[in-house]
Amino acid sequence: MPAPGPFLRLHPNDDVVVARRPAAKGESWFEGDFGVIAGQAIDLGHKMAVRTKSRGDAIRKYGQLIGFATEDIAPGEHVHVHNLAMGDRRFEYEFGTEVMPLHRPVAPRTFQGYRRPDGRAATRNYIGIVSTVNCSAASSRFIAEAFDRELLSSFPNVDGVIALTHKGGCAMPFDCDNHRMLNRTLAGFARHPNIAAYVIVGLGCETAQASFLTESQNLIELTDWSKSGSSAVRMLTENGAAQAPLMMNIQDVGGVRKTVERGIAAIREMLPEVNKVQRQPIPIAELVLGMNCGGSDGASGITANPALGVASDRLVAYGGTSALAETTEVYGGEHLLTRRAVSRAVGEKLLGQIRWWEDYCRKFGTTIDGNPSVGNKRGGLTTIFEKSLGAIAKGGTAPLSAVYDYAEPMNDKGFVFMDTPGFDPASVTGLIAGGSNIVVFTTGRGSCFGCKPVPTIKVATNTPLYERMPEDMDINAGRILEGASLDEVGTEIFEKIISVASGEKTLSEKQGIGDDEFCPFLPGPML
Amino acid sequence: MPAPGPFLRLHPNDDVVVARRPAAKGESWFEGDFGVIAGQAIDLGHKMAVRTKSRGDAIRKYGQLIGFATEDIAPGEHVHVHNLAMGDRRFEYEFGTEVMPLHRPVAPRTFQGYRRPDGRAATRNYIGIVSTVNCSAASSRFIAEAFDRELLSSFPNVDGVIALTHKGGCAMPFDCDNHRMLNRTLAGFARHPNIAAYVIVGLGCETAQASFLTESQNLIELTDWSKSGSSAVRMLTENGAAQAPLMMNIQDVGGVRKTVERGIAAIREMLPEVNKVQRQPIPIAELVLGMNCGGSDGASGITANPALGVASDRLVAYGGTSALAETTEVYGGEHLLTRRAVSRAVGEKLLGQIRWWEDYCRKFGTTIDGNPSVGNKRGGLTTIFEKSLGAIAKGGTAPLSAVYDYAEPMNDKGFVFMDTPGFDPASVTGLIAGGSNIVVFTTGRGSCFGCKPVPTIKVATNTPLYERMPEDMDINAGRILEGASLDEVGTEIFEKIISVASGEKTLSEKQGIGDDEFCPFLPGPML
Ligand SMILES: [Ca+2]
Ligand SMILES: [Ca+2]
Ligand SMILES: [Ca+2]
Ligand SMILES: [Ca+2]
Ligand SMILES: [Ca+2]
């Protein structure tokens, strides 16, 4: 069998082929008798025209429209921002017209996870410090930093103590959308199965009051710390109520040093209890996969994303949950998702989110088209339509069971969607707040993402990246460009999900990444 | 002389008096034969009516309108949110009608500062790691964390190595307002006199490209590191150009670990050079004071803020710069500032900023009135007008020399204004980016603010706070409520500014606070 040529056609109707390796001028793509010769060098992931196109003509890739020619294009020409742009085409939305149920596997599979007292399944075992406002960020971090590797080595089942700090929490109208989103996010982390216990640290005078957080979100403790032998822990209970979360405000405690000391003392007393967990077999139906892509390139939509789609479909077939997100990156391809929606209501909720983003962008005098970054364009992605189609490939073919708002608890099984920005840390923060206990992140340029308390598996879309960043990229989907099948790489991702959920450390975990990426989406206002 | 009564009238025209201590029902305020008896308990900082008012009447404090009665009010009644609200009153703006030059002191004064090679004056001596995007935050922090106290103890003149990390830098239109503001902020810190040397760490594919940052902001290095004997440092110069800043992108270097190692090696080699500085006498005319208030209460506008106004006027009289900020907290009192503007253009720039905020709030369906926080209201502040008048008191009486946009370099001397949110970390970040080398922060509820690389002096507005948080509050302006004069406390603040600028550590510096408060104002969009 001869070496594969430099170009790959993704669908028979396509007007372009994609370079699976850098192609020199004069290299060609053939299908049967028909051939096209590259009129110039075409970088990996970039597109070459295989049909004559006139200015204004539609251009297709994945069999789908990705934009319109802005000048005449001859076969063999590079197709990119200089001759391709989005137009004003309106979609006919259809609902549920392409719901194709997956085949159920014959036997269930399990992973080795932690079972929490209320029945939820965890993949890691952290203690959290929930900071309500930037003004309590330093104190929260000081508490976390007291638990270095040395101290934690006495508690081998505890993965770490993390400070969930951010740049917001005040200077906004009380109970506004921004405040509610922050509360959902903080509460989602507080009650996340991977957080065995937590302490809430506020300043005292902030808009994002700790008491409002716990009351509006019905936060309760699983462990009745009020019965704890530790006075340090009991000092943090509010009137000793069994189910009130442990919390303190710096202004009530009397300053930063006392707050930090009290927090450290309490967590030190919690460690033996939190360390008691043991991994046990749990059906993978209880995994909630969060999917993201960042630093995408022209290969993302050909290799890593469709391979992740295979893994996603497999998890859904086993009864699990798999969540697509990044609304701005799905934009332009939402009509493909509504066709897979299990009900009109599910599809309409997605369209409502799309309209929210259009309105949000309009406020700032911009459009969602602005989203492909400098790096994206360098990697060969021209329009948001094209990027969206590549992004949606992560979601495989399963029916769309549910659509969630940012950081909303994801209680439905199956393939679901959560409304988040495309910005990776903000998106994954929302997914984790919604209950994701495992994350897979595809990248073409080389994002080094991690976000505690949930492990992130990173999948490189191309081999040069995988080889350049071997300490950051867990899986190489670039071998699809060299002949591996989507199913083969999809299976590798699926097995990695189960292994990492069972305790195998990802590369970003080995490097200690994940304390900086807690990034609640705060669309504003900041007053 | 009898003990001062529980109530204080700030201006003869006022309709309310303010409690300078918690006043019980039945306690009274007298002036000559005229007296009013409290009909209920009045908390510290809260207001009691001293005149009969009908629904719709204007209510005055500081001799200025703070809102309108929403029901009939009898003398002795508590005046707060239940019977007072803002109305629609429009101001007649006047420009330069109240410009009152300050008396110049007879002899100049100096502080002990560091003189940088380009002539700028520093109060601290840090090395910075400028992170372009959240995706490089972990790497930047890992580099900074390598320089713990032990290593730095060999370099006693180096105050620390700080990672300037944030939650933005991508998923926005290239070169949009948001991007430009982030760039101004990052550049302002990079070239800040308190940052002796810096390294820029990017991911590589982000919108906020490191190369665009350095080019658009004309960032140059003061030290020609390309002549350094250290290969680690020279590796970070771009084509060895003498004045190109040291920078690296994780994707180019080949991952997080290599980036961190390279950054650590470079900074280790820079330390001996950065340690060479010596403090020397520098005129206090080169101090750039940034002023802020957070967690305000009813005492803020009576004690700490007007006392800071005394210190601000004195610094300006010595030829220095003093910057008021927090546009949303000045809102409603901007007509007082335009009257002090040295030119119509300066006043108009402020009004343009006010209109920007009105428009920004409208986008989110809110108004600036929303700003007094839960804590503010608990402390006795009712309307944004009232809070603004108290906030403006920080700016003393000096003419308004200049008005700056967020993070814009403050090159004019005298009393100036910078457009920032009221949110403390975002505001001080803008002021430091603009060149503030000393910060004074007033607080009534007890904010524990600090922001490296600039020292922050915290002034408590009331004695109970000062006594409750002795490790966080540098100065007690609450003694004004017990009989000390504004001038006495203003002088204490002024002398503290000179002492801290000369090297005395503030309480937040002693506690190590200031790594979490770098908070560029990013009004959006985040896509
Ligand atoms: Ca409890
Ligand atoms: Ca993304
Ligand atoms: Ca990114
Ligand atoms: Ca240089
Ligand atoms: Ca403030």
Side-chain angles (χ1 to χ4, degrees), chain A residues 134 141 167 173 251 254-257 357 360 363-364 366 421-423 445-446 468 471-472 516 518 523 526-527, chain B residues 134 141 167 173 251 254-257 357 360 363-364 366 422-423 445-446 468 471-472 516 518 523 526-527:
Chain A
N134 182 260
R141 189 170 51 79
K167 306 287 188 189
Q251 291 169 349
V256 169
R257 186 189 56 77
W357 280 97
Y360 171 76
K363 288 189 209 304
F364 292 96
T366 188
F423 188 51
R445 310 279 308 167
R468 199 167 64 244
E471 295 165 292
D472 300 281
D516 300 272
F518 177 68
M526 175 185 279
L527 298 178
Chain B
N134 183 260
R141 188 170 52 80
K167 307 286 187 190
Q251 291 170 349
V256 169
R257 188 189 55 79
W357 280 97
Y360 171 76
K363 288 190 209 304
F364 293 96
T366 187
F423 188 51
R445 308 280 307 168
R468 198 168 63 245
E471 295 166 292
D472 300 280
D516 300 273
F518 178 68
M526 175 184 277
L527 297 178

Side-chain angles (χ1 to χ4, degrees), chain A residues 293-294 326 329 422 424:
Chain A
C293 53
E326 304 179 283
E329 298 181 7
D424 313 323

Side-chain angles (χ1 to χ4, degrees), chain A residues 245-435:
Chain A
L246 306 175
M247 63 170 152
M248 56 184 161
N249 284 322
I250 297 167
Q251 291 169 349
D252 299 332
V253 175
V256 169
R257 186 189 56 77
K258 287 181 199 162
T259 301
V260 172
E261 281 182 7
R262 194 176 285 190
I264 290 170
I267 291 175
R268 192 169 279 149
E269 302 286 347
M270 294 158 97
L271 278 168
E273 183 68 31
V274 172
N275 189 56
K276 279 182 189 159
V277 294
Q278 294 293 337
R279 288 193 183 267
Q280 56 183 277
I282 294 177
I284 63 170
E286 299 189 41
L287 289 177
V288 183
L289 171 64
M291 303 186 289
N292 240 250
C293 53
S296 298
D297 68 358
S300 299
I302 313 166
T303 62
N305 289 358
L308 176 52
V310 169
S312 170
D313 276 349
R314 198 157 310 166
L315 181 62
V316 170
Y318 276 100
T321 306
S322 175
L324 186 69
E326 304 179 283
T327 316
T328 53
E329 298 181 7
V330 159
Y331 186 71
E334 65 272 16
H335 56 297
L336 300 174
L337 288 170
T338 59
R339 288 178 194 157
R340 289 161 60 187
V342 295
S343 71
R344 185 174 188 105
V346 165
E348 292 281 12
K349 185 165 181 185
L350 174 64
L351 297 181
Q353 292 170 346
I354 295 282
R355 285 190 293 270
W356 185 92
W357 280 97
E358 287 175 336
D359 180 59
Y360 171 76
C361 285
R362 206 175 293 123
K363 288 189 209 304
F364 292 96
T366 188
T367 57
I368 302 179
D369 184 35
N371 198 28
S373 69
V374 175
N376 292 151
K377 288 184 177 160
R378 211 178 283 153
L381 290 179
T382 309
T383 68
I384 186 74
F385 282 22
E386 181 182 10
K387 190 172 172 181
S388 298
L389 288 163
I392 289 172
K394 296 194 294 294
T397 64
L400 179 66
S401 302
V403 170
Y404 295 103
D405 288 331
Y406 185 80
E408 198 181 353
M410 298 189 284
N411 296 321
D412 292 81
K413 296 285 185 183
F415 171 61
V416 303
F417 181 83
M418 178 181 281
D419 181 27
T420 76
F423 188 51
D424 313 323
S427 179
V428 177
T429 295
L431 286 166
I432 293 176

Side-chain angles (χ1 to χ4, degrees), chain A residues 35-94:
Chain A
V36 173
I37 296 167
Q40 63 216 96
I42 308 284
D43 274 347
L44 182 143
H46 283 245
K47 298 176 288 297
M48 179 179 78
V50 293
R51 294 205 182 94
T52 301
K53 288 283 154 182
S54 300
R55 186 179 162 177
D57 282 355
I59 306 289
R60 287 177 182 275
K61 180 183 168 188
Y62 302 99
Q64 302 284 342
L65 177 112
I66 58 168
F68 298 90
T70 57
E71 52 184 58
D72 294 347
I73 301 175
E77 265 188 59
H78 182 209
V79 176
H80 203 18
V81 288
H82 58 289
N83 56 11
L84 174 65
M86 266 174 64
D88 277 334
R89 186 170 175 274
R90 296 271 158 255
F91 297 105
E92 296 284 325
Y93 292 115
E94 298 169 13

Side-chain angles (χ1 to χ4, degrees), chain B residues 338-381:
Chain B
T338 59
R339 288 177 193 159
R340 288 161 61 186
V342 295
S343 71
R344 185 175 186 102
V346 165
E348 292 280 13
K349 186 165 180 184
L350 173 64
L351 296 182
Q353 292 170 346
I354 295 282
R355 284 189 294 269
W356 184 92
W357 280 97
E358 287 175 333
D359 180 58
Y360 171 76
C361 285
R362 206 174 293 123
K363 288 190 209 304
F364 293 96
T366 187
T367 59
I368 302 181
D369 184 36
N371 199 27
S373 67
V374 174
N376 293 151
K377 288 183 178 161
R378 211 177 283 153
L381 290 178

Side-chain angles (χ1 to χ4, degrees), chain B residues 204-282:
Chain B
C205 61
E206 66 271 28
T207 304
Q209 291 281 301
S211 56
F212 180 74
L213 167 65
T214 60
E215 283 155 28
S216 64
Q217 290 287 329
N218 296 310
L219 287 183
I220 57 168
E221 274 280 0
L222 296 183
T223 305
D224 181 0
W225 296 108
S226 66
K227 291 190 180 128
S228 166
S230 158
S231 61
V233 168
R234 275 186 288 114
M235 273 173 78
L236 304 191
T237 61
E238 202 170 72
N239 56 49
Q243 300 203 299
L246 306 175
M247 63 170 154
M248 55 185 162
N249 284 322
I250 297 167
Q251 291 170 349
D252 299 332
V253 175
V256 169
R257 188 189 55 79
K258 287 180 198 164
T259 301
V260 171
E261 281 181 8
R262 195 176 285 190
I264 291 170
I267 291 175
R268 194 170 276 149
E269 302 286 346
M270 295 158 97
L271 279 168
E273 183 69 30
V274 173
N275 190 55
K276 279 182 188 158
V277 295
Q278 293 294 336
R279 288 193 182 266
Q280 56 183 274
I282 294 177

